[in-house]
Structures are given as C-alpha cells and as structure tokens.
C-alpha cells in the first residue's frame, strides 16, 4: 500500500502539481488536489483524513475572485493550524512541504522567518516538472521518515531511527542531539532537527561533495567511487536516507585512514587521486583548488558557497552561529570571497568575525599561489 496526501493551491490551473509530485506507482506517494476553503475547516478536513504528506502553495489568497475574500490566508497559516493539531495528536503527524513560485518565495516566504520552521522542505514550481524524480524521491522519503519516527515515538529510544548498531550508537548518542529529540513534542519537530542538523550539515554525515573533498577527487567523479564506498558499508541508511544520499562520517574516516595508510587530508589531492586510481584500476581526476587551480593542495572540505573541494589555507571561517557541537563549521574558499559570490540579504553567507581581518586582504590579493 502506498502513501497518500494532498496538494493545496488557490489556483486551479496549478493543480497539475498534485500529479507532478506524485510517484508513478501504487507503492509510492499519490497526492490529490484540494482547493482552498475557509482555513479552520480546511485544516480539520485535511487532518481528519490522516494524510501521509501535505504540499501547499505559500500564497493561498491570490485568486480571490475564484474563491472568496473570507478565505484569504497564507500557506503558513494553514500549516500552523495543521502543526498545532499534530502537536496534540502526534500519532497522526505528517510532513508539510511548500511548493511556490520562485519569485514569490523570495518576496513573501524568505523574509517571513516565523514560517520557515513550519515546512520540512520547500520546492520551486519552476523546477517541478513531469520528470522531477528527485523531488518525488524526497517527498516519498519524508513519508517513510515520518512513518519511522511515529513507529518509535513512544518507545523511549528515538535515536534508533538512525539505524546504528549498539557498538556505533555513540555516534548519535550525544547529549545535544539526544536531548533535542527526547524533548521534541511531535515527530515534525524531531524531523526538523534531523533534517537541519544531520542531513543538511556536515558532521555526523557527509554529502557527496564532502566525500569528494576528503578523497581529493573532483566532485563529478563521485559516481566512480560510490561502488567502493558502498562495498565498505559507508552509505547512510537511516531516517530520510533514501531521499538525500549521505555517508556516515565515522565509517568513512575509519575506512579512509586504513585505505590511505594515514589521514587522507595529509596528502595532496593529486596523491590521493593517484592512490585510488592505482588501487581500483580507475582513472579518477584529482580535485583542483578553487584558488590556484592546483591539485597539489591538501583539499579537505567542500566550500559552503560553491561546493568545490577546498583547502584550509585558502579559505576563511563562515559565520555559522547555530553549529551544533557534533557539526563541522562551514568554510568559504578565497575564490568565492574575491568574486563576491556569497550572496545578498539575510540568507547570504558571511565571514565569521574571527576571520574578518583577512577579508580585505583576500579581496585585494592579485597573485594566486
Ligand atoms: Zn567557493
């Protein structure tokens, strides 16, 4: 039996997104379109149908001629009503995602900080097509993840959703994470912590880009090494792992130290790529420093701005006030600083004040060695 849910929009023409976000099989997720009506009635109707996921547009008040002025409210208003009900009846909790036009997202949603915590994920309508397999895979994974969270919710062992053996449990059994999950009043709060601090952040898990940097290879070469990582049991298979490919950092580090016979980042990218190529009979391309284009740098992490593998000595610390103790601080490569690629507005990346003195120096640097 598959998952079912709703797509809510005030625009009848946009009801196609219900189908675009549904998987194409009965085992997956099927969304049905729900037009807008008075907020409290709609929230009750949705909640009592016990959906597995709800997707909604942020502006539910734009086609008032089609609806009725009395129905005017934003998607965040409806999401808040649904979250309030789930807090009382956590056994019926479900993921809520935002589906919005990109321009409206930046104009209305991004400045509205109170709305951000209501949604598990946000998608731009412009990017959701009939072929949006990635969005569909992520939504399905949200359904599965919530199901897993609800199944263990009252067990007293919420850390079990990460799927680690007793021997490895210490990796997630850290006070900051354990207490946050124990204190979560409903699965959607636990989901937010896991998505924000585990899935989206380097620390306990590594993204493909982070793995490429630690292996000293170009990120576009990652598919060459994934069979090797999989054979060594490094893939993360815990909650939300099917939607977002991640690797266990502790398993990767243990394996890599054995593989390279030393800490991998003590070798240059070229040296690491050569070892992998020789051992695996492959031709993997070494990562190049974004600053000087050289493979003779000891690249160690992926730049928080451009994602390219970068070395410590040609990067600065990003302002990262909410980094948990088990997370890795973000860094930004000198190339992004010099090219002013960090963006504008409240969501822009910033340099931490501990490195602020170096910013002008980097910006004005003429030579790249
Ligand atoms: Zn960069």
């Amino acid at each position: 039996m598959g998952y079912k849910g709703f797509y809510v929009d005030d625009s009848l023409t946009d009801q196609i997104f219900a189908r675009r976000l549904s998987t194409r099989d009965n085992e997956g997720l099927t969304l049905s379109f729900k037009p807008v009506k008075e907020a409290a009635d709609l929230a009750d109707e949705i909640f009592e149908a016990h959906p597995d996921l709800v997707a909604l547009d942020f502006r539910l008040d734009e086609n008032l001629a089609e609806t009725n002025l009395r129905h005017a409210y934003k998607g965040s208003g409806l999401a808040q009503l649904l979250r309030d009900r789930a807090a009382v009846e956590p056994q019926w909790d479900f993921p809520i995602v935002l589906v919005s036009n990109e321009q409206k997202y930046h104009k209305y949603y991004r400045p509205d900080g109170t709305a951000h915590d209501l949604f598990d994920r946000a998608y731009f309508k412009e990017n959701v097509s009939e072929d949006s397999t990635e969005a569909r895979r992520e939504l399905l994974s949200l359904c599965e993840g919530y199901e897993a969270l609800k199944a263990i919710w009252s067990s007293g062992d919420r850390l079990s959703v990460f799927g680690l053996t007793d021997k490895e449990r210490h990796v997630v059994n850290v006070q900051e994470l354990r207490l946050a999950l124990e204190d979560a009043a409903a699965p959607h709060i636990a989901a937010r912590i896991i998505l924000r601090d585990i899935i989206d952040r380097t620390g306990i898990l590594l993204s493909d880009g982070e793995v490429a940097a630690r292996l000293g290879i170009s990120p576009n070469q990652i598919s060459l090494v994934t069979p090797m990582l999989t054979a060594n049991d490094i893939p993360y298979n815990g909650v939300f792992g099917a939607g977002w490919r991640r690797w266990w950092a502790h398993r990767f580090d243990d394996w890599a130290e054995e593989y390279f016979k030393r800490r991998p980042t003590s070798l240059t990218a070229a040296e690491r790529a050569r070892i992998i190529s020789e051992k695996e009979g492959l031709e993997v391309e070494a990562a190049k420093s974004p600053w000087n284009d050289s493979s003779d740098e000891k690249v160690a992490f992926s730049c928080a701005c451009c994602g390219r593998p970068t070395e410590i000595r040609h990067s600065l610390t990003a302002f990262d006030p909410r980094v948990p103790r088990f997370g890795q601080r973000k860094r930004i490569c000198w190339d992004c600083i010099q090219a002013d690629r960090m963006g504008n507005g409240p969501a822009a990346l910033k340099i931490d004040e501990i490195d602020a003195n170096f910013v002008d120096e980097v910006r004005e640097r003429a030579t790249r060695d």
Side-chain angles (χ1 to χ4, degrees), residues 290 303-308 310 332-336 341:
C303 167
C305 184
C306 67
R308 288 175 291 176
T310 301
I332 300 171
C333 75
W334 282 8
D335 189 53
C336 283
R341 224 177 267 127

Side-chain angles (χ1 to χ4, degrees), residues 83 116-120 146 149 187-198 240:
R83 292 306 199 197
H116 297 182
D117 283 350
L118 293 167
F119 299 98
D120 293 277
Y146 268 68
L149 281 167
H188 67 264
I189 296 168
R192 185 168 77 224
I193 294 163
I194 295 167
L195 288 167
R196 185 191 59 202
D197 291 344
I198 310 286
F240 304 127

Side-chain angles (χ1 to χ4, degrees), residues 29-69:
L29 168 67
T30 309
L31 295 180
S32 29
F33 175 67
K34 226 175 213 333
V36 171
K37 58 152 96 167
E38 199 276 319
D41 289 348
L42 182 56
D44 284 346
E45 195 177 303
I46 290 174
F47 196 84
E48 275 146 30
H50 299 151
D52 298 301
L53 180 138
V54 170
L56 33 98
D57 184 28
F58 191 59
R59 295 300 304 266
L60 298 176
D61 54 0
E62 286 187 305
N63 296 286
L64 294 178
E66 283 183 41
T67 56
N68 174 328
L69 203 61

Side-chain angles (χ1 to χ4, degrees), residues 295-330:
S295 292
D296 296 325
E297 296 289 349
K298 291 172 178 167
V299 301
F301 62 93
S302 95
C303 167
C305 184
C306 67
R308 288 175 291 176
T310 301
E311 59 280 10
I312 300 283
R313 71 186 193 121
H314 294 135
S315 62
L316 297 182
T317 312
F319 179 57
D320 194 2
R322 275 184 282 273
V323 55
R325 258 191 266 178
F326 51 82
Q328 182 179 301
R329 263 183 180 280
K330 294 176 184 164

